Amino acid sequence: MLNTNPPYLRVREINTYAKNVLDEQAFLQHVTIRGEVSNFKKYPTALYFSIKDQEARLNVVMFLYKQFPAYLPKDGDDVLITG
């Protein structure tokens, strides 16, 4: 039988899938994650960095960081991130 499904997902499709998973799993709607900051980069509109532990890495974008002038993360910081 011929496979008529394309071998890729469209951006809309993966976004819809991720939104559905987050909407269905209440514990994912507000989580706090602990990790070490790495690859920190500051730009005028946002901060970009990763948080990592011994086994995994999660990419982070922090918008509106100017609302929190008392703290600017740096590589090696142990942080708690809530979102």
Side-chain angles (χ1 to χ4, degrees):
M1 178 180 235
L2 181 63
N3 183 359
T4 58
N5 294 327
Y8 57 84
L9 294 174
R10 296 172 191 247
V11 173
R12 175 186 46 82
E13 292 169 327
I14 194 68
N15 281 345
T16 299
Y17 178 80
K19 181 183 182 314
N20 289 339
V21 169
L22 293 171
D23 287 347
E24 291 171 8
Q25 301 295 324
F27 71 94
L28 291 176
Q29 293 176 10
H30 185 74
V31 297
T32 299
I33 301 170
R34 182 178 181 179
E36 177 186 330
V37 174
S38 68
N39 300 318
F40 176 80
K41 293 182 177 80
K42 179 182 175 186
Y43 293 93
T45 57
L47 306 177
Y48 293 84
F49 56 96
S50 297
I51 56 170
K52 64 181 184 175
D53 60 21
Q54 296 284 354
E55 301 166 6
R57 176 182 306 266
L58 181 66
N59 293 328
V60 177
V61 178
M62 184 176 173
F63 298 103
L64 303 173
Y65 70 92
K66 293 178 183 177
Q67 293 181 355
F68 307 98
Y71 176 71
L72 192 63
K74 62 184 181 306
D75 286 349
D77 282 355
D78 184 35
V79 295
L80 293 173
I81 296 178
T82 300

